[in-house]
Amino acid sequence: MLVHPWPPSQASSQSWPTLVWLMLLCAALGQAMTQSEVDALRKETRSVFYHGLTNYRQFAYPDDELRPLSCSPLTRDRANPAHIEVNDVLGNYSLSVVDSLSTLAILASDPLSDTDDYNALHDFQHYVGLVIEEYGDGSSGPAGQGRRARGFDLDSKVQVFETTIRGLGGLLSAHLFAIGELPIRGYEPDTRDDGIHWPNGFVYNGQLLRLAQDLGERLLPAFHTPTGLPYPRVNLRYGTPFYENSPLNNDPEHGQCDKTQKPKGPREITETCSAGAGSLVLEFTTLSRLTNDDRFERLAKRAFWAVWERRSASGLIGAGIDAETGAWVGPWTGIGAGIDSFFEYAFKSHVLLSALEGDSYNVTEDSPDAFLQTWKDAHSAIMRHVYRDAYFTHPHYAQ
């Protein structure tokens, strides 16, 4: 029962000023930005994005990124393989182009595209063509060979997580925009027998999806672990020869080392993180459903549950975890880097899977409700054991 701190007559007279003040504050906040101000910010956002993309195209393409101060290309640091801050992300496959495709498709749906100097739909279709020129159309024939590589046949050791969310996710979402599954305002695919015809003369027939499948298959060697947790890194051309305990590297009949051999150099780090191992379900499930190849979906879900089943008795997960042993590497938990997107993907996997047919392989464990319950349980544990209040000095981590 709610008890007023004052007698009823006083409660009415003393609470009204506060209520009126709150109503006025809400009204003021609601009018804080006019529509013209919102439009101006949208226009500025488009301008900033195009400033970056245009300069990348002029000074850094086809490398991965543009250095903003020197206006020079940024790609892998081959002289220092241990420079993982750069090498984990930059796979030498024109990452900025792949990253920008979905943004261009979204900008094309903004009414401002009718009045400003940018033709985002034209640019989306143009940059799709550039990806295919550089890396081929994903087929096994002559058209599969691009200027830079055949698909993602690149000697690049990359992080599985970053390559999944940026490379694989970028290709898949751009494919869905290209075929009209994700809408672009004013875009109606001109579908003919040989594919979707675009005004620039390009014919789209699923090239990005085939490239996504090529990239996805190059990530699969990382999942050969006894725990179901993927190794943190994989070479897009050679797989995982640097993990001596991988079953892929214990096959003497094919010239690979046996378990009695000792590594010649420093042992490769097998520590991954909860976010890196548990945030693959969206992209891998989408790839499986579009290609009818369930390997990706099963492995990503297996990795997600491999993280969750190792939670503590308090229902908390840590940041670092060993892919070979499943042991937690550090004592930290929270909602920050290394853990954050595990919670994000728990909820988003529920949303995605709720719109798809069920997984006949493991109906109960991999159901949309199972992912939602995981999010609820994880949220409850964080609120009980980690969160203090909005003014707590370190609200994101606890030991």
Side-chain angles (χ1 to χ4, degrees):
M1 178 179 179
L2 179 62
V3 179
H4 282 293
W6 314 288
S9 59
Q10 293 182 2
S12 176
S13 62
Q14 295 189 30
S15 60
W16 265 110
T18 301
L19 180 60
V20 171
W21 182 85
L22 289 173
M23 293 175 65
L24 291 173
L25 177 61
C26 291
L29 291 175
Q31 298 297 321
M33 295 182 64
T34 65
Q35 186 59 47
S36 61
E37 290 172 328
V38 172
D39 290 343
L41 288 174
R42 285 179 174 173
K43 187 174 182 179
E44 182 180 0
T45 300
R46 295 167 66 87
S47 177
V48 169
F49 170 79
Y50 265 99
H51 174 76
L53 183 62
T54 302
N55 282 280
Y56 162 77
R57 181 73 172 88
Q58 180 178 355
F59 297 108
Y61 177 82
D63 288 315
D64 286 308
E65 292 184 354
L66 171 69
R67 296 179 185 270
L69 298 181
S70 64
C71 283
S72 59
L74 175 64
T75 189
R76 299 183 60 76
D77 186 355
R78 297 196 180 278
N80 181 15
H83 192 184
I84 59 176
E85 295 83 1
V86 169
N87 293 334
D88 273 358
V89 180
L90 306 184
N92 198 28
Y93 54 84
S94 309
L95 180 59
S96 287
V97 176
V98 176
D99 248 351
S100 299
L101 294 177
S102 297
T103 304
L104 287 167
I106 293 170
L107 291 179
S109 291
D110 191 323
L112 287 175
S113 62
D114 296 335
T115 58
D116 64 13
D117 297 330
Y118 309 115
N119 189 336
L121 178 56
H122 169 273
D123 293 335
F124 168 75
Q125 295 170 342
H126 171 69
Y127 278 95
V128 167
L130 287 183
V131 171
I132 295 161
E133 287 178 14
E134 299 294 347
Y135 304 100
D137 70 352
S139 69
S140 58
Q145 178 63 53
R147 283 194 295 253
R148 305 195 86 199
R150 176 177 286 276
F152 294 90
D153 181 23
L154 300 160
D155 184 10
S156 298
K157 180 182 175 184
V158 294
Q159 190 187 74
V160 173
F161 170 64
E162 289 287 349
T163 306
T164 297
I165 64 172
R166 297 183 66 178
L168 188 59
L171 292 168
L172 289 171
S173 57
H175 165 73
L176 292 172
F177 277 118
I179 64 175
E181 185 72 19
L182 292 176
I184 301 176
R185 188 181 64 92
Y187 171 59
E188 295 293 337
D190 179 11
T191 305
R192 307 180 194 177
D193 292 340
D194 58 342
I196 299 172
H197 286 242
W198 288 345
N200 61 4
F202 185 83
V203 178
Y204 184 78
N205 57 26
Q207 295 96 324
L208 295 180
L209 178 58
R210 293 194 294 272
L211 286 172
Q213 185 169 16
D214 175 78
L215 180 57
E217 289 178 347
R218 295 178 185 278
L219 300 177
L220 293 183
F223 290 83
H224 286 267
T225 67
T227 61
L229 299 162
Y231 285 117
R233 296 173 181 86
V234 65
N235 186 292
L236 295 178
R237 175 175 292 167
Y238 299 113
T240 55
F242 32 81
Y243 294 115
E244 66 267 20
N245 292 330
S246 169
L248 297 179
N249 299 327
N250 295 312
D251 185 5
E253 292 185 5
H254 294 84
Q256 294 173 306
C257 62
D258 61 54
K259 294 183 178 181
T260 62
Q261 291 180 324
K262 295 182 179 180
K264 297 180 180 179
R267 188 174 186 272
E268 183 72 20
I269 296 174
T270 56
E271 176 189 352
T272 185
C273 62
S274 297
S279 305
L280 310 170
V281 175
L282 299 180
E283 292 81 4
F284 274 52
T285 296
T286 301
L287 180 59
S288 281
R289 299 304 177 99
L290 291 174
T291 60
N292 293 317
D293 184 342
D294 65 358
R295 291 178 299 165
F296 308 103
E297 181 175 354
R298 290 187 184 183
L299 288 171
K301 289 177 175 177
R302 179 175 176 237
F304 178 91
W305 296 121
V307 174
W308 184 238
E309 71 184 14
R310 289 171 170 81
R311 64 192 181 277
S312 71
S314 301
L316 298 168
I317 60 173
I321 188 170
D322 191 286
E324 292 183 342
T325 67
W328 294 110
V329 177
W332 294 97
T333 188
I335 59 172
I339 310 175
D340 48 3
S341 61
F342 178 87
F343 308 122
E344 172 195 350
Y345 271 58
F347 187 80
K348 288 183 176 179
S349 295
H350 160 71
V351 175
L352 174 67
L353 295 171
S354 295
L356 301 175
E357 293 184 6
D359 180 1
S360 59
Y361 178 71
N362 200 337
V363 177
T364 303
E365 184 179 74
D366 291 339
S367 69
D369 289 342
F371 284 93
L372 179 60
Q373 190 61 49
T374 298
W375 186 88
K376 290 180 177 179
D377 292 344
H379 178 267
S380 177
I382 288 290
M383 294 302 292
R384 179 176 182 180
H385 299 289
V386 178
Y387 183 75
R388 298 296 182 267
D389 56 56
Y391 304 101
F392 190 61
T393 305
H394 299 290
H396 302 309
Y397 292 98
Q399 188 173 19

